[in-house]
Amino acid sequence: MTATPTGYVTIVWDAKAKAGREDDLKAFITAAVTPSRNDPGNIDYESHEVEGRPGEFVIYERWETRAHLDAHLAAPRMRELVPQMLELIDGSIEDGIRLLRPFRPAH
């Protein structure tokens, strides 16, 4: 992941709960959102449940710089949360991460 030309970093993370763990993953994400929103450099941190697809979630994040994102990912609480998250999601964390690059029409 790299920063955009304007400096900020936008991430979309798709997560799917393991069978039977849908409510657990939703509760886990709900508890993790507010602390992440309070991290230095956070612009947006929003969680979404995919309508009509129980247990599928999307997290949308924007950070002022890549350094702010890296600090968030390296925070002690994140090191504690990752093993817990892996017990709840189907697949890996990395499989669901997408970096977005903004663009605008030339006109």
Side-chain angles (χ1 to χ4, degrees):
M1 293 178 277
T2 58
T4 64
T6 57
Y8 69 87
V9 178
T10 304
I11 308 263
V12 174
W13 179 57
D14 299 302
K16 183 172 182 180
K18 289 181 179 177
R21 304 300 306 265
E22 296 85 355
D23 291 340
D24 296 331
L25 182 56
K26 185 174 183 176
F28 179 88
I29 291 170
T30 299
V33 167
T34 299
S36 293
R37 284 180 180 157
N38 291 325
D39 281 346
N42 179 257
I43 299 168
D44 292 308
Y45 201 103
E46 300 295 332
S47 57
H48 306 271
E49 190 169 17
V50 179
E51 190 170 331
R53 296 183 182 182
E56 291 189 30
F57 303 92
V58 176
I59 306 292
Y60 173 85
E61 308 174 38
R62 281 194 319 152
W63 298 89
E64 290 177 13
T65 66
R66 176 59 195 251
H68 286 105
L69 171 62
D70 290 344
H72 161 73
L73 295 173
R77 77 170 189 286
M78 295 302 287
R79 287 192 299 270
E80 293 174 11
L81 292 177
V82 168
Q84 297 170 28
M85 191 181 321
L86 289 172
E87 291 181 18
L88 301 173
I89 65 171
D90 188 17
S92 74
I93 294 168
E94 293 81 11
D95 289 343
I97 293 176
R98 293 178 284 154
L99 175 68
L100 304 182
R101 292 189 187 277
F103 66 93
R104 294 197 170 126
H107 308 260

